[in-house]
Amino acid sequence: MQNSPGEDKIPVVGCSPRTPPERNSLFFSDGRRKVDYVLAFHHRRQTFTRASSAHDRLSIISNGNLPPPTGSAGGPGEVCVELGPDPPDPAEAEMILIREEFEASLIEAGLEMERDNELKTHGPSFTRLHAPWLVLAREAEFLKIKVPTKKSYELKEDSGLSARMNMVWRKLNQPFLPNVPQQEESRIKLISYCFSRDKLHLYDIESKDTFFDNATRARIVYEILRRTACVRTCQTMGITTLIANGVYDSAFPLHDGDYKVVGQSEKKNDRQLLQDEWARYGAFYKYQPVDLIRKYFGEKIGLYFAWLGVYTQLLIPASIVGIIVFCYGVATVDTDVPSLEMCDELQNFTMCPLCDGACDFWHLSTACGTARASHLFDNPATVFFAIFMSLWVAMFLEHWKRRQISLNHKWDLTGMEEEEEHPRPKYETTLIQKRQKMQRTNKKKKKKTEPEKQEEGMTEAGKDRWKQRLLSAMAAGPPHIYNKLTWRDRLPGYFINISSILFMFGLTFSAVFGVIVYRITVSALMAMSPDTEVKSNVRVTVTATAVIINLVVILILDEIYGAVAVWLTELEIPKTENDFEEHLILKAFLLKFMNAYAPIFYVAFFKGRFAGRPGDYVYVFTEHRMEECAPGGCLIELCIQLSIIMLGKQLIQNNIFEIGIPKLKKLYRSLKSKGVAAEEREEQRAHQWNMDYALVPFEGLTPEYMEMIIQFGFVSLFVASFPLAPLFALLNNVIEIRLDAKKFVTELRRPDALRAKDIGIWYNILSGMGKFSVIINAFVISFTSDFIPRLVYLYMFSNTGTMHGFIDHTLSYFNVSNFRPGTAPDTLPLTGITVCRYKDYREPPWSPDAYQFSKQYWCVLAARLAFVIMFQNLVMFLSLLVDWVIPDIPKTISEQLKREKTLLVDVFLHEEKEKYRLLQSLFSKDPTRLGQPGQGGLDPARCHTLPPGLAQASGDECGRGGPRARCRAASFSQFTRQMSFSPVPDRVKHTAV
């Protein structure tokens, strides 16, 4: 077969036997052109090409370099598809036409293409795309992709004590660094500049095939796919719309070969390096190879793992401080006076019954275990830890901002402009429907506005023709309303969104209330049990089982809310993927935040506060009393609730689901592939696109961010009640990083390498949660714990200046004769008890204001509110101080940016200098040609673009024969420092513009 004249590409019909087998899976059949992107679709009926008679022939399309055989009706590069003898399915035939038009447009855009065997009757078929150098260069310039230049400089080295400390730190860090080339530190920094086809001499292009890495090549092809339109067949734009309409099943870039290393390979590919140094559980102690992650997966995914690494690293000091606080509670539990008083059986505090009728009086000393456990988390060190964690949140956010800017500079993202986003498929479909509806409406209006009488003369009709055009334009309406959707088009979606979110909130509150009813009912039933052991363990049993029920409900509602958030966001019809992602994140976060923290908020701020008092309790369904806090306070119950929900979500939802579900899917695929012939399975393993097609599609980073954000709330919002939360979060994240890494490397298709300068809306959510955590921790310490009542007693009511007598101070008296009928214990006549105690600040029954709030209550309440205000203002001030002290941009980065800018200006100045010298040499060699533009001389109209010195040095030829052209604005080089290369340096020091 002959090549087309002028073509330098070699068309290949079959796989060449000289092609190395390891290259066969990543290249076209010629073994030279790399597969940059793959389009996949399923065959639904038998098809074949007219140009092929062999069943194993590949259909190669490469910009028309494979001409059709003699007698073919198709043009160069055109594939004619014949359907079988049966009449084709109209829908399938339409998709074939759409695919033909789309792929023809891709060829016109410069891409080269290779197809699978067209005679396949079932299963997936693949269209492989390759971008040649001309296309890569054109698109890289259009996308303003920064690439390294030949110009480099040496980074500034530290000196003195800081240099020695850095050297020691590097040696200590050496065992924790991954063994990848990109992670090795270098003192030489290459200057990057936006790619330009006019400045190829600036770049170090050793090979045009490897100058752009695989991720960049795939991103360039994806940009072409996104903007390629199918106007003739379906009036749609981009590959995403075609996938949504079922024209293609999927589109994805290829992985860099298998992740398993077979034999002793001299050089591992990037996927194998990531598997060995990042995705293995044995590498849990190593830093992440963030640069290699960014190179392989793109900046957006690289920033996620960089953020996750920073968050995990900063959990280490928080975990250490939390362990110290917990150890302080353990060390002081035996010397805590209130706990000792509660455990002292000699004091004999007789407490009022916990339920009506069946419950008996009980002694406070039986709650000794609860009191001692409560001290582990409710001690003076907890206040310090709450302040520390509030500052830790501020430090974390500031540290991430600095890290993010450093990565932006390192990854050449500084000055990156936002790329134009294409509309989403559903937005386009809705817009087309709107246009069609408006066109039908306008046609009806046009018919109604036509003049009823057609008998008037042509002269009168001509005079009124402008009026008819005006009426038609007014009936058609303004044309711009067809180009976008307005709030009226989205109004039904907004209404459904608001009502659905309110319904979900009600569902969450109903689930919490249902658990409350369960606790009340089970507590009453267990209190009626004749078994004393059951009665003694009522509170522990009810609390543990209720928390487990809460956990199960949270896990179920989480999955439901995730699906509902996607559905509600689709109803809003966002225009772009970025808008869709932001709206989805806000809805999912709002619903999942409420779902995860509603039970915790109830225990922290509502439980026991509306229960009433003996003789005047608040009842649920007129039968069961509202539950009260334990004698040691609600903080220990809050700790149990927080710990079980946090650990349960991490173990079940984040880890078991992430490990178990992919394993089940893999098992299902393996069972499904058993029915496939052995030869076909072997063929699938031979091609990378077949193996990648069997992997799970990448669905975005929202689930990964969401679980970390919810965990961040557990660590920051209620950390005053559970100081060990940062430790458990740290242990989870060490596993989570390797789980996500293994998922991205081995189980997911390679995502598109998307650029991003930051983590987007997630930073705003983190910042908001950090500010909210200050308020929450202030209220937890002041209202949930006993820290403020102890301080008030110590400094206002203690006679000895110690905590002795604190328990008696917090207990009020109740006369048993004031029980409501039917609520007194059945054993009351046998006990002879006249007065019982309950935890509250109320006047005794012998006081004129019996059972009213006492003076102590108002003192404690005032102190609690004052503490909230002081704590909030102190922490906010310290957070602002941290924000002010720590600059967002590291000093080294700002210095490097200035130096790189100066060096780039020098490079371009040197380039202009060489151009001017070349012009001067031409002028001096042939002065007679200066005024003849058509003969290679200098055009007089272009003389004004030279600096004044050069213009004068070229003589007065430019001005001969006519007036001198007006000077244009000077170039940027004339605004720089004095140019030593100018013939007249004193005339170019200052340029008037």
Side-chain angles (χ1 to χ4, degrees):
M1 185 177 290
Q2 300 294 329
N3 290 350
S4 301
E7 294 287 347
D8 58 350
K9 306 178 185 65
I10 303 175
V12 180
V13 175
C15 294
S16 174
R18 290 173 293 181
T19 303
E22 63 272 10
R23 293 169 58 90
N24 190 30
S25 63
L26 297 174
F27 290 78
F28 277 12
S29 56
D30 58 6
R32 294 190 303 140
R33 289 176 289 178
K34 185 179 297 183
V35 178
D36 296 321
Y37 219 86
V38 175
L39 307 178
F41 60 93
H42 267 81
H43 279 283
R44 292 176 177 82
R45 71 170 46 248
Q46 185 174 351
T47 60
F48 62 92
T49 59
R50 295 177 185 171
S52 175
S53 59
H55 286 259
D56 58 346
R57 179 177 177 182
L58 292 172
S59 175
I60 312 295
I61 303 178
S62 181
N63 294 332
N65 69 327
L66 183 59
T70 306
S72 175
E78 181 181 356
V79 175
C80 300
V81 179
E82 284 188 2
L83 300 175
D86 297 331
D89 181 15
E92 178 64 19
E94 183 182 359
M95 290 185 182
I96 292 175
L97 293 176
I98 295 173
R99 281 197 292 266
E100 287 181 353
E101 183 191 357
F102 183 71
E103 292 173 5
S105 301
L106 295 180
I107 297 169
E108 291 179 3
L111 296 180
E112 299 177 2
M113 193 177 300
E114 180 182 74
R115 283 180 177 167
D116 272 350
N117 187 355
E118 290 276 342
L119 286 174
K120 182 182 289 188
T121 58
H122 65 278
S125 184
F126 302 98
T127 301
R128 295 171 289 282
L129 303 176
H130 167 77
W133 168 255
L134 295 178
V135 175
L136 293 174
R138 180 192 71 207
E139 297 297 325
E141 183 175 357
F142 174 72
L143 296 174
K144 297 181 180 180
I145 296 176
K146 287 188 176 182
V147 293
T149 63
K150 296 177 183 178
K151 188 70 174 178
S152 62
Y153 65 96
E154 188 175 357
L155 299 177
K156 182 180 178 182
E157 293 187 2
D158 297 327
S159 59
L161 180 61
S162 61
R164 290 194 293 271
M165 292 179 63
N166 288 336
M167 185 180 298
V168 173
W169 179 251
R170 282 196 295 269
K171 288 183 179 179
L172 293 175
N173 265 345
Q174 192 64 35
F176 305 102
L177 296 177
N179 186 21
V180 295
Q182 286 77 10
Q183 205 72 18
E184 297 175 359
E185 293 187 3
S186 175
R187 304 301 303 173
I188 303 300
K189 176 74 167 62
L190 294 174
I191 299 178
S192 296
Y193 185 69
C194 294
F195 185 85
S196 174
R197 288 172 289 179
D198 298 332
K199 294 181 173 58
L200 295 180
H201 57 280
L202 295 178
Y203 314 114
D204 188 11
I205 305 178
E206 297 180 358
S207 172
K208 292 182 178 180
D209 293 333
T210 59
F211 181 69
F212 295 105
D213 57 33
N214 294 342
T216 305
R217 295 173 67 98
R219 184 162 71 88
I220 288 174
V221 176
Y222 178 67
E223 289 296 328
I224 298 175
L225 293 173
R226 280 207 312 172
R227 68 170 186 261
T228 302
C230 291
V231 181
R232 181 170 55 88
T233 53
C234 59
Q235 298 182 355
T236 56
M237 171 81 75
I239 187 63
T240 54
T241 306
L242 296 180
I243 293 175
N245 295 336
V247 179
Y248 289 98
D249 288 341
S250 58
F252 53 90
L254 291 181
H255 279 292
D256 291 355
D258 197 358
Y259 64 89
K260 297 178 182 178
V261 180
V262 180
Q264 296 293 330
S265 179
E266 295 182 1
K267 184 179 180 181
K268 300 178 181 178
N269 59 46
D270 289 345
R271 193 183 186 191
Q272 292 169 347
L273 283 174
L274 289 172
Q275 168 65 20
D276 292 343
E277 300 295 329
W278 182 47
R280 285 190 308 110
Y281 293 108
F284 73 93
Y285 62 93
K286 291 186 177 182
Y287 291 105
Q288 298 183 90
V290 180
D291 295 333
L292 184 59
I293 298 171
R294 171 255 177 179
K295 177 188 173 185
Y296 194 82
F297 293 109
E299 286 80 4
K300 192 170 185 178
I301 295 177
L303 281 174
Y304 163 70
F305 282 104
W307 171 82
L308 183 57
V310 170
Y311 172 49
T312 304
Q313 289 177 13
L314 288 183
L315 280 175
I316 296 175
S319 302
I320 294 173
V321 177
I323 293 173
I324 293 174
V325 170
F326 180 75
C327 293
Y328 172 82
V330 173
T332 58
V333 67
D334 293 329
T335 58
D336 182 54
V337 175
S339 299
L340 295 176
E341 288 185 349
M342 287 187 65
C343 296
D344 188 4
E345 298 181 359
L346 299 178
Q347 297 204 21
N348 194 21
F349 293 109
T350 302
M351 307 298 294
C352 295
L354 297 175
C355 63
D356 295 340
C359 296
D360 202 353
F361 298 101
W362 57 285
H363 293 290
L364 185 61
S365 58
T366 58
C368 176
T370 305
R372 291 173 62 87
S374 179
H375 177 74
L376 300 178
F377 306 100
D378 188 4
N379 54 68
T382 305
V383 181
F384 161 76
F385 188 60
I387 297 175
F388 170 81
M389 286 304 296
S390 299
L391 296 179
W392 175 86
V393 171
M395 290 285 293
F396 164 60
L397 295 176
E398 288 300 314
H399 183 62
W400 168 243
K401 281 196 291 187
R402 290 169 60 87
R403 174 67 169 159
Q404 186 172 260
I405 291 175
S406 300
L407 291 176
N408 284 343
H409 174 252
K410 191 175 184 179
W411 295 348
D412 300 324
L413 297 174
T414 51
M416 187 189 81
E417 299 178 359
E418 292 187 2
E419 300 176 1
E420 181 182 359
E421 292 191 74
H422 299 285
R424 299 183 67 249
K426 185 167 184 180
Y427 183 89
E428 283 188 337
T429 304
T430 309
L431 188 59
I432 291 173
Q433 293 174 354
K434 177 184 177 181
R435 288 172 179 169
Q436 294 174 349
K437 182 179 179 181
M438 294 296 292
Q439 288 173 0
R440 290 193 298 266
T441 305
N442 292 338
K443 287 181 180 179
K444 293 179 180 179
K445 289 183 179 179
K446 188 176 181 180
K447 292 180 180 178
K448 292 181 180 179
T449 55
E450 287 181 354
E452 297 178 358
K453 297 181 179 181
Q454 301 291 339
E455 300 177 356
E456 296 181 359
M458 296 297 296
T459 306
E460 185 176 357
K463 292 180 180 179
D464 295 340
R465 189 174 299 167
W466 66 273
K467 294 183 179 179
Q468 296 177 12
R469 291 180 179 175
L470 180 61
L471 290 174
S472 300
M474 293 174 63
H480 68 272
I481 64 174
Y482 301 148
N483 299 329
K484 63 179 181 178
L485 299 180
T486 61
W487 65 270
R488 292 184 179 88
D489 303 314
R490 296 186 172 96
L491 187 60
Y494 292 152
F495 177 77
I496 296 175
N497 266 263
I498 295 174
S499 57
S500 299
I501 290 175
L502 292 177
F503 173 76
M504 296 299 165
F505 283 173
L507 181 62
T508 302
F509 296 147
S510 300
V512 174
F513 183 73
V515 175
I516 294 172
V517 173
Y518 163 81
R519 296 164 65 112
I520 295 172
T521 306
V522 174
S523 298
L525 292 176
M526 292 183 68
M528 298 177 189
S529 175
D531 191 350
T532 56
E533 186 175 354
V534 173
K535 286 185 176 181
S536 61
N537 296 324
V538 169
R539 197 175 295 276
V540 176
T541 305
V542 171
T543 301
T545 55
V547 173
I548 293 174
I549 294 174
N550 266 327
L551 175 61
V552 173
V553 172
I554 287 172
L555 294 177
I556 295 173
L557 291 181
D558 253 358
E559 301 300 321
I560 296 174
Y561 288 166
V564 169
V566 175
W567 175 67
L568 292 177
T569 309
E570 289 285 358
L571 292 178
E572 287 188 9
I573 322 176
K575 183 175 182 180
T576 62
E577 286 293 340
N578 189 34
D579 295 338
F580 178 85
E581 187 178 6
E582 288 188 355
H583 294 182
L584 174 62
I585 288 170
L586 286 176
K587 290 181 184 61
F589 172 74
L590 193 62
L591 293 174
K592 294 192 175 186
F593 180 89
M594 187 64 65
N595 180 43
Y597 296 110
I600 301 174
F601 271 96
Y602 164 73
V603 175
F605 303 120
F606 298 100
K607 184 179 179 181
R609 307 195 183 280
F610 307 101
R613 58 171 181 81
D616 189 21
Y617 282 113
V618 177
Y619 290 86
V620 179
F621 303 129
T622 67
E623 294 182 3
H624 304 291
R625 278 167 37 183
M626 283 293 293
E627 56 180 347
E628 304 175 61
C629 290
C634 276
L635 195 69
I636 184 61
E637 296 187 39
L638 178 62
C639 174
I640 295 173
Q641 186 98 5
L642 179 65
S643 60
I644 293 180
I645 292 178
M646 177 182 177
L647 296 178
K649 276 182 64 67
Q650 291 180 352
L651 290 176
I652 298 174
Q653 190 177 38
N654 300 350
N655 294 333
I656 294 180
F657 283 3
E658 289 190 10
I659 296 175
I661 293 179
K663 294 291 184 184
L664 292 176
K665 290 182 178 179
K666 189 175 181 180
L667 178 62
Y668 171 75
R669 290 196 299 268
S670 62
L671 294 175
K672 189 177 179 181
S673 64
K674 285 184 178 181
V676 183
E679 295 181 0
E680 189 172 346
R681 287 203 303 267
E682 193 66 28
E683 182 184 355
Q684 290 178 359
R685 294 192 190 98
H687 298 297
Q688 187 65 40
W689 47 86
N690 278 296
M691 294 188 291
D692 286 4
Y693 183 73
L695 299 178
V696 180
F698 175 68
E699 296 180 352
L701 290 170
T702 300
E704 314 298 334
Y705 272 114
M706 188 64 68
E707 65 182 69
M708 289 295 104
I709 295 296
I710 296 297
Q711 183 203 86
F712 180 79
F714 287 125
V715 170
S716 59
L717 291 180
F718 295 96
V719 72
S721 63
F722 189 42
L724 297 179
L727 175 63
F728 289 110
L730 174 64
L731 297 176
N732 174 80
N733 287 4
V734 171
I735 303 173
E736 179 72 22
I737 289 175
R738 306 305 157 181
L739 274 176
D740 287 345
K742 191 173 185 62
K743 180 171 64 175
F744 273 85
V745 174
T746 65
E747 297 171 359
L748 294 180
R749 292 177 191 165
R750 188 171 186 173
D752 294 305
L754 301 178
R755 287 198 297 179
K757 293 180 63 176
D758 49 40
I759 60 175
I761 196 174
W762 295 110
Y763 182 84
N764 299 330
I765 293 176
L766 287 170
S767 179
M769 290 183 71
K771 294 179 174 59
F772 191 48
S773 68
V774 177
I775 303 173
I776 294 298
N777 283 309
F779 276 93
V780 167
I781 293 172
S782 60
F783 285 90
T784 308
S785 73
D786 284 339
F787 177 75
I788 299 300
R790 293 182 183 186
L791 285 181
V792 171
Y793 175 77
L794 182 64
Y795 293 105
M796 293 185 64
F797 299 104
S798 177
N799 297 324
T800 61
T802 63
M803 292 301 298
H804 291 284
F806 172 73
I807 297 299
D808 183 61
H809 174 75
T810 59
L811 298 178
S812 299
Y813 292 90
F814 178 74
N815 192 335
V816 297
S817 61
N818 297 133
F819 275 121
R820 286 185 179 181
T823 61
D826 298 334
T827 59
L828 178 60
L830 303 177
T831 58
I833 297 175
T834 58
V835 175
C836 63
R837 310 292 294 272
Y838 62 99
K839 189 173 182 179
D840 205 348
Y841 291 100
R842 292 182 181 269
E843 295 290 344
W846 52 83
S847 172
D849 300 324
Y851 305 126
Q852 298 298 317
F853 288 119
S854 62
K855 181 182 70 174
Q856 290 87 344
Y857 171 83
W858 299 109
C859 291
V860 170
L861 179 61
R864 282 173 166 167
L865 295 176
F867 176 82
V868 169
I869 297 173
M870 292 177 58
F871 183 90
Q872 179 181 345
N873 285 279
L874 174 64
V875 175
M876 289 294 185
F877 169 75
L878 294 177
S879 300
L880 292 175
L881 184 63
V882 169
D883 191 6
W884 176 73
V885 169
I886 302 177
D888 293 343
I889 304 178
K891 185 179 179 181
T892 56
I893 299 299
S894 59
E895 292 177 353
Q896 289 180 27
L897 288 173
K898 293 177 183 178
R899 189 174 181 184
E900 289 178 7
K901 187 176 181 180
T902 304
L903 290 175
L904 274 177
V905 171
D906 290 341
V907 169
F908 294 132
L909 286 176
H910 179 72
E911 186 179 347
E912 287 196 2
K913 175 183 175 181
E914 295 299 327
K915 290 181 181 179
Y916 295 152
R917 283 182 177 175
L918 179 60
L919 289 175
Q920 285 181 314
S921 64
L922 292 175
F923 299 160
S924 60
K925 287 181 181 179
D926 195 359
T928 61
R929 297 165 59 90
L930 292 177
Q932 304 174 9
Q935 301 180 5
L938 185 64
D939 189 356
R942 298 174 61 186
C943 289
H944 58 272
T945 61
L946 296 175
L950 292 178
Q952 183 178 0
S954 63
D956 295 331
E957 290 84 352
C958 291
R960 292 176 185 175
R964 184 181 178 185
R966 186 174 63 89
C967 292
R968 296 193 310 182
S971 64
F972 76 95
S973 60
Q974 294 172 272
F975 291 94
T976 58
R977 55 189 179 277
Q978 179 178 351
M979 297 183 291
S980 59
F981 55 83
S982 177
V984 189
D986 57 342
R987 294 190 181 185
V988 296
K989 290 181 179 178
H990 303 282
T991 304
V993 180

